[in-house]
PDB file of all heavy atoms in Angstrom:
ATOM      1  N   HIS A  16       0.820  -1.211   0.000  1.00 91.00           N
ATOM      2  CA  HIS A  16       0.000   0.000   0.000  1.00 91.00           C
ATOM      3  C   HIS A  16       0.858   1.268   0.000  1.00 91.00           C
ATOM      4  O   HIS A  16       0.720   2.117   0.884  1.00 91.00           O
ATOM      5  CB  HIS A  16      -0.928   0.015   1.220  1.00 91.00           C
ATOM      6  CG  HIS A  16      -1.731  -1.224   1.400  1.00 91.00           C
ATOM      7  ND1 HIS A  16      -2.808  -1.550   0.591  1.00 91.00           N
ATOM      8  CD2 HIS A  16      -1.600  -2.244   2.292  1.00 91.00           C
ATOM      9  CE1 HIS A  16      -3.321  -2.700   0.981  1.00 91.00           C
ATOM     10  NE2 HIS A  16      -2.605  -3.151   2.003  1.00 91.00           N
ATOM     11  N   PRO A  17       1.763   1.458  -0.948  1.00 95.00           N
ATOM     12  CA  PRO A  17       2.568   2.680  -0.932  1.00 95.00           C
ATOM     13  C   PRO A  17       1.720   3.901  -1.271  1.00 95.00           C
ATOM     14  O   PRO A  17       0.787   3.836  -2.071  1.00 95.00           O
ATOM     15  CB  PRO A  17       3.621   2.412  -2.016  1.00 95.00           C
ATOM     16  CG  PRO A  17       2.969   1.432  -2.937  1.00 95.00           C
ATOM     17  CD  PRO A  17       2.084   0.585  -2.090  1.00 95.00           C
ATOM     18  N   SER A  18       2.064   5.027  -0.663  1.00 94.00           N
ATOM     19  CA  SER A  18       1.359   6.277  -0.922  1.00 94.00           C
ATOM     20  C   SER A  18       2.230   7.432  -0.467  1.00 94.00           C
ATOM     21  O   SER A  18       2.998   7.300   0.494  1.00 94.00           O
ATOM     22  CB  SER A  18       0.022   6.307  -0.175  1.00 94.00           C
ATOM     23  OG  SER A  18      -0.537   7.612  -0.189  1.00 94.00           O
ATOM     24  N   GLY A  19       2.081   8.571  -1.113  1.00 94.00           N
ATOM     25  CA  GLY A  19       2.828   9.759  -0.716  1.00 94.00           C
ATOM     26  C   GLY A  19       2.483  10.257   0.673  1.00 94.00           C
ATOM     27  O   GLY A  19       3.230  11.045   1.246  1.00 94.00           O
ATOM     28  N   ALA A  20       1.374   9.780   1.228  1.00 95.00           N
ATOM     29  CA  ALA A  20       0.968  10.187   2.572  1.00 95.00           C
ATOM     30  C   ALA A  20       1.424   9.200   3.641  1.00 95.00           C
ATOM     31  O   ALA A  20       1.056   9.347   4.813  1.00 95.00           O
ATOM     32  CB  ALA A  20      -0.554  10.328   2.625  1.00 95.00           C
ATOM     33  N   GLN A  21       2.253   8.210   3.267  1.00 96.00           N
ATOM     34  CA  GLN A  21       2.618   7.139   4.200  1.00 96.00           C
ATOM     35  C   GLN A  21       4.039   7.230   4.744  1.00 96.00           C
ATOM     36  O   GLN A  21       4.483   6.334   5.475  1.00 96.00           O
ATOM     37  CB  GLN A  21       2.450   5.776   3.510  1.00 96.00           C
ATOM     38  CG  GLN A  21       1.027   5.444   3.126  1.00 96.00           C
ATOM     39  CD  GLN A  21       0.145   5.180   4.328  1.00 96.00           C
ATOM     40  OE1 GLN A  21       0.618   4.878   5.407  1.00 96.00           O
ATOM     41  NE2 GLN A  21      -1.157   5.321   4.148  1.00 96.00           N
ATOM     42  N   ALA A  22       4.796   8.270   4.411  1.00 98.00           N
ATOM     43  CA  ALA A  22       6.160   8.398   4.947  1.00 98.00           C
ATOM     44  C   ALA A  22       6.111   8.557   6.461  1.00 98.00           C
ATOM     45  O   ALA A  22       5.283   9.287   7.003  1.00 98.00           O
ATOM     46  CB  ALA A  22       6.870   9.596   4.319  1.00 98.00           C
ATOM     47  N   LYS A  23       7.033   7.874   7.165  1.00 98.00           N
ATOM     48  CA  LYS A  23       7.041   7.858   8.625  1.00 98.00           C
ATOM     49  C   LYS A  23       8.389   8.363   9.150  1.00 98.00           C
ATOM     50  O   LYS A  23       9.444   8.080   8.558  1.00 98.00           O
ATOM     51  CB  LYS A  23       6.828   6.436   9.145  1.00 98.00           C
ATOM     52  CG  LYS A  23       5.568   5.737   8.626  1.00 98.00           C
ATOM     53  CD  LYS A  23       4.322   6.299   9.278  1.00 98.00           C
ATOM     54  CE  LYS A  23       3.104   5.403   9.012  1.00 98.00           C
ATOM     55  NZ  LYS A  23       2.797   5.217   7.589  1.00 98.00           N
ATOM     56  N   PRO A  24       8.362   9.108  10.273  1.00 98.00           N
ATOM     57  CA  PRO A  24       9.642   9.490  10.888  1.00 98.00           C
ATOM     58  C   PRO A  24      10.510   8.265  11.136  1.00 98.00           C
ATOM     59  O   PRO A  24      10.023   7.226  11.601  1.00 98.00           O
ATOM     60  CB  PRO A  24       9.200  10.138  12.209  1.00 98.00           C
ATOM     61  CG  PRO A  24       7.832  10.678  11.922  1.00 98.00           C
ATOM     62  CD  PRO A  24       7.203   9.658  11.005  1.00 98.00           C
ATOM     63  N   GLY A  25      11.788   8.368  10.783  1.00 97.00           N
ATOM     64  CA  GLY A  25      12.708   7.252  10.897  1.00 97.00           C
ATOM     65  C   GLY A  25      12.905   6.501   9.601  1.00 97.00           C
ATOM     66  O   GLY A  25      13.872   5.731   9.467  1.00 97.00           O
ATOM     67  N   ASP A  26      12.025   6.695   8.625  1.00 98.00           N
ATOM     68  CA  ASP A  26      12.191   6.030   7.332  1.00 98.00           C
ATOM     69  C   ASP A  26      13.506   6.436   6.673  1.00 98.00           C
ATOM     70  O   ASP A  26      13.958   7.580   6.804  1.00 98.00           O
ATOM     71  CB  ASP A  26      11.057   6.399   6.373  1.00 98.00           C
ATOM     72  CG  ASP A  26       9.787   5.594   6.592  1.00 98.00           C
ATOM     73  OD1 ASP A  26       9.812   4.668   7.413  1.00 98.00           O
ATOM     74  OD2 ASP A  26       8.772   5.915   5.927  1.00 98.00           O
ATOM     75  N   ALA A  27      14.070   5.507   5.936  1.00 98.00           N
ATOM     76  CA  ALA A  27      15.190   5.821   5.050  1.00 98.00           C
ATOM     77  C   ALA A  27      14.645   6.314   3.714  1.00 98.00           C
ATOM     78  O   ALA A  27      13.596   5.861   3.253  1.00 98.00           O
ATOM     79  CB  ALA A  27      16.062   4.593   4.838  1.00 98.00           C
ATOM     80  N   VAL A  28      15.360   7.244   3.103  1.00 98.00           N
ATOM     81  CA  VAL A  28      15.026   7.739   1.762  1.00 98.00           C
ATOM     82  C   VAL A  28      16.033   7.139   0.784  1.00 98.00           C
ATOM     83  O   VAL A  28      17.242   7.321   0.939  1.00 98.00           O
ATOM     84  CB  VAL A  28      15.070   9.275   1.698  1.00 98.00           C
ATOM     85  CG1 VAL A  28      14.698   9.763   0.305  1.00 98.00           C
ATOM     86  CG2 VAL A  28      14.154   9.884   2.749  1.00 98.00           C
ATOM     87  N   ILE A  29      15.526   6.417  -0.198  1.00 98.00           N
ATOM     88  CA  ILE A  29      16.367   5.714  -1.168  1.00 98.00           C
ATOM     89  C   ILE A  29      16.083   6.252  -2.557  1.00 98.00           C
ATOM     90  O   ILE A  29      14.932   6.518  -2.913  1.00 98.00           O
ATOM     91  CB  ILE A  29      16.067   4.191  -1.137  1.00 98.00           C
ATOM     92  CG1 ILE A  29      16.328   3.606   0.250  1.00 98.00           C
ATOM     93  CG2 ILE A  29      16.866   3.445  -2.200  1.00 98.00           C
ATOM     94  CD1 ILE A  29      15.785   2.187   0.433  1.00 98.00           C
ATOM     95  N   VAL A  30      17.127   6.425  -3.370  1.00 98.00           N
ATOM     96  CA  VAL A  30      16.948   6.607  -4.810  1.00 98.00           C
ATOM     97  C   VAL A  30      17.529   5.380  -5.501  1.00 98.00           C
ATOM     98  O   VAL A  30      18.512   4.796  -5.031  1.00 98.00           O
ATOM     99  CB  VAL A  30      17.607   7.895  -5.351  1.00 98.00           C
ATOM    100  CG1 VAL A  30      16.891   9.116  -4.829  1.00 98.00           C
ATOM    101  CG2 VAL A  30      19.083   7.952  -5.037  1.00 98.00           C
ATOM    102  N   THR A  31      16.911   4.996  -6.622  1.00 98.00           N
ATOM    103  CA  THR A  31      17.310   3.744  -7.264  1.00 98.00           C
ATOM    104  C   THR A  31      18.424   3.911  -8.291  1.00 98.00           C
ATOM    105  O   THR A  31      18.753   2.959  -9.004  1.00 98.00           O
ATOM    106  CB  THR A  31      16.096   3.065  -7.921  1.00 98.00           C
ATOM    107  OG1 THR A  31      15.536   3.947  -8.913  1.00 98.00           O
ATOM    108  CG2 THR A  31      15.033   2.728  -6.881  1.00 98.00           C
ATOM    109  N   GLY A  32      19.016   5.100  -8.360  1.00 98.00           N
ATOM    110  CA  GLY A  32      20.131   5.299  -9.273  1.00 98.00           C
ATOM    111  C   GLY A  32      20.519   6.757  -9.352  1.00 98.00           C
ATOM    112  O   GLY A  32      19.951   7.608  -8.658  1.00 98.00           O
ATOM    113  N   ASP A  33      21.494   7.066 -10.220  1.00 98.00           N
ATOM    114  CA  ASP A  33      21.950   8.448 -10.346  1.00 98.00           C
ATOM    115  C   ASP A  33      20.837   9.313 -10.920  1.00 98.00           C
ATOM    116  O   ASP A  33      20.033   8.860 -11.741  1.00 98.00           O
ATOM    117  CB  ASP A  33      23.217   8.522 -11.210  1.00 98.00           C
ATOM    118  CG  ASP A  33      22.994   8.041 -12.624  1.00 98.00           C
ATOM    119  OD1 ASP A  33      22.610   6.869 -12.800  1.00 98.00           O
ATOM    120  OD2 ASP A  33      23.205   8.831 -13.561  1.00 98.00           O
ATOM    121  N   ILE A  34      20.776  10.553 -10.489  1.00 98.00           N
ATOM    122  CA  ILE A  34      19.610  11.404 -10.757  1.00 98.00           C
ATOM    123  C   ILE A  34      19.900  12.456 -11.823  1.00 98.00           C
ATOM    124  O   ILE A  34      21.045  12.814 -12.073  1.00 98.00           O
ATOM    125  CB  ILE A  34      19.128  12.082  -9.461  1.00 98.00           C
ATOM    126  CG1 ILE A  34      20.170  13.087  -8.952  1.00 98.00           C
ATOM    127  CG2 ILE A  34      18.814  11.046  -8.393  1.00 98.00           C
ATOM    128  CD1 ILE A  34      19.660  13.995  -7.829  1.00 98.00           C
ATOM    129  N   GLY A  35      18.814  12.938 -12.447  1.00 96.00           N
ATOM    130  CA  GLY A  35      18.892  14.090 -13.335  1.00 96.00           C
ATOM    131  C   GLY A  35      19.297  13.808 -14.765  1.00 96.00           C
ATOM    132  O   GLY A  35      19.423  14.739 -15.561  1.00 96.00           O
ATOM    133  N   ARG A  36      19.467  12.534 -15.131  1.00 96.00           N
ATOM    134  CA  ARG A  36      20.014  12.260 -16.470  1.00 96.00           C
ATOM    135  C   ARG A  36      19.033  12.588 -17.594  1.00 96.00           C
ATOM    136  O   ARG A  36      19.439  13.056 -18.665  1.00 96.00           O
ATOM    137  CB  ARG A  36      20.473  10.801 -16.563  1.00 96.00           C
ATOM    138  CG  ARG A  36      21.877  10.611 -16.035  1.00 96.00           C
ATOM    139  CD  ARG A  36      22.602   9.479 -16.720  1.00 96.00           C
ATOM    140  NE  ARG A  36      22.225   8.206 -16.141  1.00 96.00           N
ATOM    141  CZ  ARG A  36      21.965   7.111 -16.834  1.00 96.00           C
ATOM    142  NH1 ARG A  36      22.006   7.136 -18.149  1.00 96.00           N
ATOM    143  NH2 ARG A  36      21.655   5.994 -16.234  1.00 96.00           N
ATOM    144  N   HIS A  37      17.740  12.333 -17.382  1.00 96.00           N
ATOM    145  CA  HIS A  37      16.796  12.614 -18.466  1.00 96.00           C
ATOM    146  C   HIS A  37      16.716  14.115 -18.743  1.00 96.00           C
ATOM    147  O   HIS A  37      16.798  14.546 -19.899  1.00 96.00           O
ATOM    148  CB  HIS A  37      15.407  12.068 -18.138  1.00 96.00           C
ATOM    149  CG  HIS A  37      14.418  12.296 -19.250  1.00 96.00           C
ATOM    150  ND1 HIS A  37      14.441  11.576 -20.420  1.00 96.00           N
ATOM    151  CD2 HIS A  37      13.396  13.194 -19.376  1.00 96.00           C
ATOM    152  CE1 HIS A  37      13.483  12.000 -21.223  1.00 96.00           C
ATOM    153  NE2 HIS A  37      12.841  12.989 -20.617  1.00 96.00           N
ATOM    154  N   GLY A  38      16.552  14.901 -17.690  1.00 94.00           N
ATOM    155  CA  GLY A  38      16.475  16.344 -17.887  1.00 94.00           C
ATOM    156  C   GLY A  38      17.722  16.902 -18.540  1.00 94.00           C
ATOM    157  O   GLY A  38      17.648  17.765 -19.424  1.00 94.00           O
ATOM    158  N   CYS A  39      18.878  16.403 -18.128  1.00 94.00           N
ATOM    159  CA  CYS A  39      20.140  16.862 -18.722  1.00 94.00           C
ATOM    160  C   CYS A  39      20.238  16.439 -20.180  1.00 94.00           C
ATOM    161  O   CYS A  39      20.686  17.207 -21.034  1.00 94.00           O
ATOM    162  CB  CYS A  39      21.310  16.300 -17.911  1.00 94.00           C
ATOM    163  SG  CYS A  39      22.919  16.960 -18.384  1.00 94.00           S
ATOM    164  N   THR A  40      19.795  15.218 -20.486  1.00 95.00           N
ATOM    165  CA  THR A  40      19.826  14.728 -21.863  1.00 95.00           C
ATOM    166  C   THR A  40      18.970  15.587 -22.781  1.00 95.00           C
ATOM    167  O   THR A  40      19.386  15.954 -23.883  1.00 95.00           O
ATOM    168  CB  THR A  40      19.344  13.267 -21.913  1.00 95.00           C
ATOM    169  OG1 THR A  40      20.216  12.446 -21.137  1.00 95.00           O
ATOM    170  CG2 THR A  40      19.323  12.743 -23.343  1.00 95.00           C
ATOM    171  N   ILE A  41      17.749  15.904 -22.342  1.00 93.00           N
ATOM    172  CA  ILE A  41      16.852  16.736 -23.144  1.00 93.00           C
ATOM    173  C   ILE A  41      17.453  18.125 -23.351  1.00 93.00           C
ATOM    174  O   ILE A  41      17.418  18.690 -24.453  1.00 93.00           O
ATOM    175  CB  ILE A  41      15.471  16.835 -22.479  1.00 93.00           C
ATOM    176  CG1 ILE A  41      14.787  15.462 -22.433  1.00 93.00           C
ATOM    177  CG2 ILE A  41      14.591  17.849 -23.190  1.00 93.00           C
ATOM    178  CD1 ILE A  41      14.507  14.847 -23.785  1.00 93.00           C
ATOM    179  N   LEU A  42      18.037  18.673 -22.298  1.00 91.00           N
ATOM    180  CA  LEU A  42      18.663  19.987 -22.396  1.00 91.00           C
ATOM    181  C   LEU A  42      19.761  19.991 -23.459  1.00 91.00           C
ATOM    182  O   LEU A  42      19.828  20.891 -24.310  1.00 91.00           O
ATOM    183  CB  LEU A  42      19.248  20.377 -21.045  1.00 91.00           C
ATOM    184  CG  LEU A  42      19.884  21.758 -20.923  1.00 91.00           C
ATOM    185  CD1 LEU A  42      18.811  22.835 -20.948  1.00 91.00           C
ATOM    186  CD2 LEU A  42      20.697  21.866 -19.644  1.00 91.00           C
ATOM    187  N   LEU A  43      20.618  18.987 -23.438  1.00 92.00           N
ATOM    188  CA  LEU A  43      21.718  18.919 -24.394  1.00 92.00           C
ATOM    189  C   LEU A  43      21.224  18.628 -25.803  1.00 92.00           C
ATOM    190  O   LEU A  43      21.787  19.119 -26.789  1.00 92.00           O
ATOM    191  CB  LEU A  43      22.722  17.852 -23.951  1.00 92.00           C
ATOM    192  CG  LEU A  43      23.437  18.110 -22.617  1.00 92.00           C
ATOM    193  CD1 LEU A  43      24.344  16.940 -22.267  1.00 92.00           C
ATOM    194  CD2 LEU A  43      24.235  19.408 -22.657  1.00 92.00           C
ATOM    195  N   ALA A  44      20.162  17.808 -25.912  1.00 91.00           N
ATOM    196  CA  ALA A  44      19.636  17.457 -27.236  1.00 91.00           C
ATOM    197  C   ALA A  44      19.081  18.673 -27.966  1.00 91.00           C
ATOM    198  O   ALA A  44      19.039  18.695 -29.200  1.00 91.00           O
ATOM    199  CB  ALA A  44      18.553  16.384 -27.095  1.00 91.00           C
ATOM    200  N   ARG A  45      18.674  19.694 -27.229  1.00 88.00           N
ATOM    201  CA  ARG A  45      18.167  20.912 -27.864  1.00 88.00           C
ATOM    202  C   ARG A  45      19.294  21.790 -28.399  1.00 88.00           C
ATOM    203  O   ARG A  45      19.043  22.725 -29.167  1.00 88.00           O
ATOM    204  CB  ARG A  45      17.319  21.707 -26.857  1.00 88.00           C
ATOM    205  CG  ARG A  45      16.024  20.998 -26.532  1.00 88.00           C
ATOM    206  CD  ARG A  45      15.243  21.691 -25.451  1.00 88.00           C
ATOM    207  NE  ARG A  45      14.053  20.912 -25.127  1.00 88.00           N
ATOM    208  CZ  ARG A  45      13.390  21.001 -23.981  1.00 88.00           C
ATOM    209  NH1 ARG A  45      13.804  21.855 -23.043  1.00 88.00           N
ATOM    210  NH2 ARG A  45      12.327  20.266 -23.764  1.00 88.00           N
ATOM    211  N   ASN A  46      20.507  21.523 -27.956  1.00 80.00           N
ATOM    212  CA  ASN A  46      21.705  22.186 -28.485  1.00 80.00           C
ATOM    213  C   ASN A  46      21.615  23.710 -28.412  1.00 80.00           C
ATOM    214  O   ASN A  46      22.058  24.425 -29.313  1.00 80.00           O
ATOM    215  CB  ASN A  46      21.962  21.743 -29.935  1.00 80.00           C
ATOM    216  CG  ASN A  46      23.409  21.960 -30.354  1.00 80.00           C
ATOM    217  OD1 ASN A  46      24.312  21.926 -29.525  1.00 80.00           O
ATOM    218  ND2 ASN A  46      23.612  22.181 -31.640  1.00 80.00           N
ATOM    219  N   GLN A  47      21.053  24.200 -27.305  1.00 75.00           N
ATOM    220  CA  GLN A  47      20.927  25.649 -27.140  1.00 75.00           C
ATOM    221  C   GLN A  47      22.182  26.281 -26.535  1.00 75.00           C
ATOM    222  O   GLN A  47      22.385  27.487 -26.649  1.00 75.00           O
ATOM    223  CB  GLN A  47      19.725  25.956 -26.235  1.00 75.00           C
ATOM    224  CG  GLN A  47      18.393  25.564 -26.842  1.00 75.00           C
ATOM    225  CD  GLN A  47      17.255  25.696 -25.849  1.00 75.00           C
ATOM    226  OE1 GLN A  47      17.369  25.309 -24.689  1.00 75.00           O
ATOM    227  NE2 GLN A  47      16.139  26.245 -26.300  1.00 75.00           N
ATOM    228  N   PHE A  48      23.006  25.455 -25.891  1.00 75.00           N
ATOM    229  CA  PHE A  48      24.155  25.990 -25.182  1.00 75.00           C
ATOM    230  C   PHE A  48      25.493  25.560 -25.787  1.00 75.00           C
ATOM    231  O   PHE A  48      26.542  25.994 -25.333  1.00 75.00           O
ATOM    232  CB  PHE A  48      24.108  25.564 -23.709  1.00 75.00           C
ATOM    233  CG  PHE A  48      22.863  26.031 -22.992  1.00 75.00           C
ATOM    234  CD1 PHE A  48      21.799  25.178 -22.804  1.00 75.00           C
ATOM    235  CD2 PHE A  48      22.767  27.336 -22.545  1.00 75.00           C
ATOM    236  CE1 PHE A  48      20.648  25.614 -22.155  1.00 75.00           C
ATOM    237  CE2 PHE A  48      21.624  27.778 -21.896  1.00 75.00           C
ATOM    238  CZ  PHE A  48      20.563  26.915 -21.706  1.00 75.00           C
ATOM    239  N   GLY A  49      25.470  24.707 -26.796  1.00 78.00           N
ATOM    240  CA  GLY A  49      26.703  24.256 -27.425  1.00 78.00           C
ATOM    241  C   GLY A  49      27.580  23.428 -26.503  1.00 78.00           C
ATOM    242  O   GLY A  49      28.806  23.420 -26.646  1.00 78.00           O
ATOM    243  N   ILE A  50      26.952  22.716 -25.552  1.00 85.00           N
ATOM    244  CA  ILE A  50      27.708  21.884 -24.613  1.00 85.00           C
ATOM    245  C   ILE A  50      27.757  20.448 -25.133  1.00 85.00           C
ATOM    246  O   ILE A  50      26.736  19.872 -25.493  1.00 85.00           O
ATOM    247  CB  ILE A  50      27.055  21.905 -23.215  1.00 85.00           C
ATOM    248  CG1 ILE A  50      27.071  23.327 -22.652  1.00 85.00           C
ATOM    249  CG2 ILE A  50      27.771  20.949 -22.270  1.00 85.00           C
ATOM    250  CD1 ILE A  50      26.292  23.463 -21.350  1.00 85.00           C
ATOM    251  N   ASP A  51      28.937  19.879 -25.179  1.00 82.00           N
ATOM    252  CA  ASP A  51      29.117  18.495 -25.623  1.00 82.00           C
ATOM    253  C   ASP A  51      29.437  17.644 -24.404  1.00 82.00           C
ATOM    254  O   ASP A  51      30.501  17.787 -23.792  1.00 82.00           O
ATOM    255  CB  ASP A  51      30.255  18.415 -26.643  1.00 82.00           C
ATOM    256  CG  ASP A  51      30.403  17.010 -27.223  1.00 82.00           C
ATOM    257  OD1 ASP A  51      29.461  16.215 -27.071  1.00 82.00           O
ATOM    258  OD2 ASP A  51      31.467  16.721 -27.813  1.00 82.00           O
ATOM    259  N   ALA A  52      28.493  16.777 -24.002  1.00 87.00           N
ATOM    260  CA  ALA A  52      28.699  15.922 -22.829  1.00 87.00           C
ATOM    261  C   ALA A  52      28.080  14.557 -23.100  1.00 87.00           C
ATOM    262  O   ALA A  52      27.077  14.437 -23.809  1.00 87.00           O
ATOM    263  CB  ALA A  52      28.070  16.542 -21.578  1.00 87.00           C
ATOM    264  N   ASP A  53      28.684  13.532 -22.540  1.00 89.00           N
ATOM    265  CA  ASP A  53      28.234  12.160 -22.745  1.00 89.00           C
ATOM    266  C   ASP A  53      27.159  11.825 -21.710  1.00 89.00           C
ATOM    267  O   ASP A  53      27.449  11.306 -20.637  1.00 89.00           O
ATOM    268  CB  ASP A  53      29.428  11.203 -22.617  1.00 89.00           C
ATOM    269  CG  ASP A  53      29.027   9.755 -22.880  1.00 89.00           C
ATOM    270  OD1 ASP A  53      27.964   9.538 -23.493  1.00 89.00           O
ATOM    271  OD2 ASP A  53      29.778   8.848 -22.465  1.00 89.00           O
ATOM    272  N   VAL A  54      25.902  12.141 -22.053  1.00 94.00           N
ATOM    273  CA  VAL A  54      24.788  11.891 -21.147  1.00 94.00           C
ATOM    274  C   VAL A  54      23.677  11.195 -21.928  1.00 94.00           C
ATOM    275  O   VAL A  54      23.318  11.621 -23.027  1.00 94.00           O
ATOM    276  CB  VAL A  54      24.236  13.192 -20.528  1.00 94.00           C
ATOM    277  CG1 VAL A  54      23.135  12.879 -19.523  1.00 94.00           C
ATOM    278  CG2 VAL A  54      25.346  13.995 -19.868  1.00 94.00           C
ATOM    279  N   THR A  55      23.144  10.120 -21.356  1.00 96.00           N
ATOM    280  CA  THR A  55      22.055   9.360 -21.962  1.00 96.00           C
ATOM    281  C   THR A  55      20.886   9.310 -20.997  1.00 96.00           C
ATOM    282  O   THR A  55      21.060   9.127 -19.793  1.00 96.00           O
ATOM    283  CB  THR A  55      22.514   7.919 -22.280  1.00 96.00           C
ATOM    284  OG1 THR A  55      23.625   7.971 -23.166  1.00 96.00           O
ATOM    285  CG2 THR A  55      21.395   7.117 -22.934  1.00 96.00           C
ATOM    286  N   SER A  56      19.678   9.458 -21.513  1.00 97.00           N
ATOM    287  CA  SER A  56      18.493   9.405 -20.669  1.00 97.00           C
ATOM    288  C   SER A  56      18.402   8.071 -19.930  1.00 97.00           C
ATOM    289  O   SER A  56      18.804   7.025 -20.441  1.00 97.00           O
ATOM    290  CB  SER A  56      17.230   9.592 -21.513  1.00 97.00           C
ATOM    291  OG  SER A  56      16.064   9.365 -20.743  1.00 97.00           O
ATOM    292  N   ASP A  57      17.843   8.125 -18.715  1.00 97.00           N
ATOM    293  CA  ASP A  57      17.632   6.915 -17.925  1.00 97.00           C
ATOM    294  C   ASP A  57      16.269   6.285 -18.200  1.00 97.00           C
ATOM    295  O   ASP A  57      15.842   5.381 -17.483  1.00 97.00           O
ATOM    296  CB  ASP A  57      17.761   7.226 -16.426  1.00 97.00           C
ATOM    297  CG  ASP A  57      16.794   8.310 -15.963  1.00 97.00           C
ATOM    298  OD1 ASP A  57      16.111   8.913 -16.818  1.00 97.00           O
ATOM    299  OD2 ASP A  57      16.719   8.571 -14.745  1.00 97.00           O
ATOM    300  N   CYS A  58      15.568   6.722 -19.230  1.00 97.00           N
ATOM    301  CA  CYS A  58      14.229   6.262 -19.560  1.00 97.00           C
ATOM    302  C   CYS A  58      14.157   4.732 -19.567  1.00 97.00           C
ATOM    303  O   CYS A  58      14.872   4.071 -20.319  1.00 97.00           O
ATOM    304  CB  CYS A  58      13.832   6.824 -20.923  1.00 97.00           C
ATOM    305  SG  CYS A  58      12.170   6.413 -21.461  1.00 97.00           S
ATOM    306  N   ALA A  59      13.283   4.165 -18.716  1.00 98.00           N
ATOM    307  CA  ALA A  59      13.188   2.705 -18.586  1.00 98.00           C
ATOM    308  C   ALA A  59      11.887   2.328 -17.897  1.00 98.00           C
ATOM    309  O   ALA A  59      11.374   3.077 -17.052  1.00 98.00           O
ATOM    310  CB  ALA A  59      14.369   2.161 -17.783  1.00 98.00           C
TER     311      ALA A  59
END
């Protein structure tokens, strides 16, 4: 029964992997800043 209203004091907060890759990928794909970086979306 997971829900956004079920977090409890003492809970651990976990992320399942490195963050921000999709947003960074979309930003670079638009080529507005001329930045060349090896970033791939985490879409899965």
Side-chain angles (χ1 to χ4, degrees):
H16 309 287
S18 168
Q21 296 291 340
K23 305 286 193 301
D26 278 354
V28 181
I29 301 168
V30 292
T31 60
D33 62 300
I34 67 169
R36 275 210 278 137
H37 182 74
C39 188
T40 298
I41 295 298
L42 183 71
L43 296 177
R45 291 174 184 158
N46 201 29
Q47 294 172 317
F48 301 99
I50 298 173
D51 185 16
D53 182 19
V54 184
T55 301
S56 172
D57 57 353
C58 183

